[in-house]
Amino acid sequence: MQDNNHRSSINKKDGDSRRVMADQEVAGDLKCLLEDSPIAVFTCNKAGDLTYFNEAAIKLWGVDPTPKQQPWDNSWKMYYTTGERMNLAGSPMARVINESRLINGEEITIETQEHVFKRVLVYARPLYDEQHNPIGTHSSLVDISDKILEESKQAILAAIVESSDDAIISKNLNGIIVSWNAGAERIFGYSEKEIVGKSITILIPSSRLQEEELILSRIRAGKKVDHFETIRVAKSGKQIPISITVSPVKDNYGNIVGASKIARDISEQIEAQRAIKQNSQNLELLNSIGKVILENLDVKSLLQQVTDATTKITGAAFGAFFYNTTDLNGEPFTLYTLSGAARSSFDGFNLPAKTNIFKQTFSDSKVIRLDDVTKDPDYWQFGPQFGMPKAHLKIVSYLAVPIVSTAGQVIGALIFGHPSVGVFKAEHEDIIGSIAAQAAIALENSKLFEEVKALSSKKDEFIALASHELKTPLTTIKGFLQIIAKKNQDTVGKLFVDKSLYQVEKLSALISDLLDVSKIEAGKLQFHTEAVDLVRLLKDVMETFPYTNKSHEIIFDDPNEQSVVLADKQRIEQVVINLLTNAIKYSPKANKVFVSLRNEGEFATVRVKDEGIGLKEEHLSKIFNRFYRADGVGNVSGLGIGLFLTKEIIDRHNGTILVNSDYGKGSEFLFSLPLQKSN
Ligand code: ADP
């Protein structure tokens, strides 16, 4: 249809002004042929005016010059293939007529009025009249722009393939290598010449040959293999980790004829991943060792954990901590902790301690790192034998890092060994150096702690002894005062004696508390448990209380049911007295204290509530500590041991004690004890 229309439109144009010569010179059929030709054909007269042009010429020029009868050279510019502008006289069309010769396929570039550049082949010949006078030219232009574009694309692609760092390989469906770029040569070591035509399996380790079958079967099915990480073998035999992408290659008809394969050497990437993993493991270790160092005051376990962690971080076969003190055998250094090896590997081998390598760390606090200790002139070179005794651990890589106190003394050193060459790196020195610095502080702290512990146990001993010694004369004083109280009827004298007895009572309670504290510290606080009814116990305590405390009324919310617990009656009385005493002591402006008891589930809970000074939030968790007193207690006297004892007693009864407080309004102390189970 299209063709017919076209033809008819051409026919319609017959007799148009643009066909000045055509009608006489081109026979009917040939004229049609020219019109239909995909090649631009045109003729000019001697003056350069267009005398004929076909549809393909219009298409090529991008303009139809019909209405204007333009000279042919006006519609477009011409260039040499070098890009240089071509003037009219130099154009193939002008040269044809001037030089009276044929031009057969000269390549030029034309630029249309729309500034489209086209590469064309020019075929031109002069036209003569019957007397052989030149009357014009006949030119055919073959547009080869697409071909040129395709060729330059190919050239660019080829350049990309050649310059790529990746191996770009193509193979046919039988796995035979068809092409091989420079990247492939760099990675695998084979030149293009020696490998093209060979099977791709030459690159595949025998244990992975089945991979190729899988890859080829995917390719045959038209599927891609994307970023497949595997191992291939270079010409040298070296195994290389690579990531490959394989895509099917199709011919012009869409048939799969082979595969293109891009392989990237990922050795560095794998090494970087390994390093990152190692670093993050090291960081975790560092973090945990930092915590251990901060929290641990036990020297042995501290040093063992430091030795274990640093051995792991350095990748050492073994690591050890030596104290800079003479050991039991009189050797200058004492092996204290060991990781990665049995102690027997060191027993009986005091040789290392005698070498200069070892001494430099302990005497001059030097870090020593050797890739191969056996090559060092200070290696164990003394008799009877040269080198290490056979049974000793094999040490080639060696690293020693001193642990230096803040005063500059070498406390000891961490020593690492490995049977291979060059295991320890500079970064290991840095990491171990910083751990050693922390360990030094921790060791000093733990030494201080040991001293404080020793002092503290001396103090506990003193408190125990002093309170015992104080108690005896106090009991005697109390006895005498009671006799005087009975005999003396004089009111003033009786008042003084009563006051003295009250103070002696207080003093003796204080001394008892102190004695209890020292018993708790020594783990000697004894309990004698029996079934105790808490209601009875509370009532008994409260009955005796008003005689000594007249300032407050104690209001008891009687539960009217029993609460039987297994407890040391006296100790629980002591707890209630402590809480009541505090409630009264710390509510000087109030005149009531509230006590309640409730059975709640498996527990009996006693609450002692006051309307006193209360406690600030920040003190709540600390008031149960030994000797702790909150600020703002004014001139209320105390030692800060009552609640410590109270908590210890409740804890030892498997109970709990809590405090709720509203600062300035009052406090509530509540303790719960497990109810005795009825059978
Ligand atoms: P002490 O009363 O001898 O100081 P405690 O161990 O009995 O010792 O109490 C510790 C601290 O807890 C007290 O110094 C006080 O600051 C606070 N405290 C105890 N009971 C109360 C209470 N009912 N109200 C306010 N503060 C209290």
Side-chain angles (χ1 to χ4, degrees), residues 202-479:
I202 196 170
L203 304 175
I204 305 178
S206 51
S207 60
R208 289 178 181 263
L209 279 172
Q210 81 287 0
E211 279 177 10
E212 178 61 8
E213 224 3 82
L214 278 174
I215 291 173
L216 282 178
S217 63
R218 271 187 78 84
I219 294 298
R220 283 188 202 110
K223 288 181 187 153
K224 201 177 167 194
V225 176
D226 235 343
H227 302 299
F228 173 58
E229 294 195 358
T230 182
I231 306 277
R232 291 293 178 257
V233 195
K235 191 179 173 187
S236 63
K238 187 178 163 205
Q239 300 222 332
I240 307 167
I242 57 166
S243 160
I244 54 176
T245 297
V246 192
S247 316
V249 172
K250 293 180 182 168
D251 65 10
N252 289 341
Y253 307 101
N255 301 318
I256 296 161
V257 290
S260 77
K261 169 166 161 177
I262 301 179
R264 171 162 297 179
D265 181 348
I266 51 170
S267 313
E268 282 180 14
Q269 203 175 315
I270 298 252
E271 175 52 28
Q273 277 168 0
R274 195 202 57 75
I276 289 172
K277 204 168 152 205
Q278 181 68 49
N279 277 346
S280 72
Q281 278 173 354
N282 281 355
L283 271 179
E284 256 172 48
L285 261 174
L286 267 180
N287 209 354
S288 63
I289 195 68
K291 263 199 208 135
V292 166
I293 287 176
L294 274 178
E295 290 165 3
N296 211 331
L297 288 169
D298 171 38
V299 178
K300 182 84 187 185
S301 94
L302 167 78
L303 283 170
Q304 186 62 56
Q305 296 200 47
V306 166
T307 314
D308 289 346
T310 49
T311 304
K312 232 183 208 167
I313 288 173
T314 52
F318 79 89
F321 172 78
F322 283 85
Y323 256 124
N324 198 4
T325 51
T326 311
D327 76 2
L328 295 174
N329 305 323
E331 291 303 326
F333 311 107
T334 311
L335 173 62
Y336 194 63
T337 50
L338 191 58
S339 190
R343 197 161 265 269
S344 55
S345 330
F346 282 85
D347 280 351
F349 300 117
N350 48 29
L351 296 169
K354 290 184 179 150
T355 67
N356 277 338
I357 308 176
F358 218 69
K359 277 183 190 150
Q360 284 175 53
T361 300
F362 289 91
S363 320
D364 310 335
S365 51
K366 265 195 187 155
V367 173
I368 307 282
R369 180 167 60 89
L370 298 168
D371 282 345
D372 187 348
V373 71
T374 62
K375 300 255 162 64
D376 195 274
D378 283 331
Y379 187 57
W380 293 272
Q381 292 182 3
F382 43 87
Q385 77 286 332
F386 175 86
M388 292 283 276
K390 277 207 179 65
H392 196 285
L393 283 172
K394 190 165 178 240
I395 303 171
V396 177
S397 288
Y398 173 88
L399 174 65
V401 180
I403 294 187
V404 186
S405 75
T406 36
Q409 264 180 336
V410 180
I411 305 171
L414 287 159
I415 313 278
F416 306 94
H418 197 282
S420 315
V421 178
V423 170
F424 307 125
K425 307 277 184 267
E427 68 254 27
H428 293 137
E429 268 182 46
D430 296 344
I431 296 179
I432 308 303
S434 65
I435 294 179
Q438 288 185 57
I441 296 170
L443 283 176
E444 285 182 321
N445 284 348
S446 69
K447 212 171 136 201
L448 279 179
F449 175 70
E450 294 298 331
E451 283 167 12
V452 170
K453 237 170 54 184
L455 273 179
S456 155
S457 71
K458 282 221 171 71
K459 184 199 69 198
D460 287 344
E461 269 170 42
F462 169 76
I463 293 177
L465 201 74
S467 32
H468 188 77
E469 290 302 314
L470 286 171
K471 212 158 179 153
T472 325
L474 207 62
T475 319
T476 320
I477 294 172
K478 199 171 148 187

Side-chain angles (χ1 to χ4, degrees), residues 510 513 578-587 608-616 619 622-633 636-646 659 661 666-669:
L510 257 179
D513 279 358
N578 271 346
L579 295 180
L580 280 176
T581 313
N582 279 350
I584 291 165
K585 248 183 15 177
Y586 295 108
S587 63
V608 178
K609 195 171 176 321
D610 65 59
E611 295 170 332
I613 60 172
L615 280 155
K616 287 185 194 154
H619 296 297
K622 297 181 190 150
I623 51 171
F624 297 102
N625 292 347
R626 196 168 65 145
F627 304 130
Y628 188 86
R629 306 200 71 214
D631 52 17
V633 288
V636 182
S637 69
L639 287 181
I641 51 177
L643 286 182
F644 171 71
L645 281 173
T646 300
V659 55
S661 190
S667 311
E668 181 187 54
F669 285 80

Side-chain angles (χ1 to χ4, degrees), residues 90-151:
S91 72
M93 300 74 172
R95 276 186 280 128
V96 163
I97 200 156
N98 293 340
E99 296 164 18
S100 203
R101 68 175 179 95
L102 283 178
I103 296 242
N104 207 353
E106 187 176 316
E107 210 174 312
I108 65 166
T109 301
I110 63 170
E111 182 187 354
T112 67
Q113 275 182 339
E114 272 77 42
H115 306 293
V116 178
F117 289 85
K118 293 182 177 174
R119 185 64 71 86
V120 293
L121 285 176
V122 183
Y123 297 83
R125 59 168 60 244
L127 292 174
Y128 302 100
D129 63 10
E130 276 150 22
Q131 284 76 43
H132 204 71
N133 297 316
I135 53 164
T137 56
H138 176 281
S139 309
S140 305
L141 304 186
V142 182
D143 187 351
I144 54 166
S145 308
D146 288 349
K147 190 171 152 252
I148 295 285
L149 192 70
E150 193 51 40
E151 276 171 9

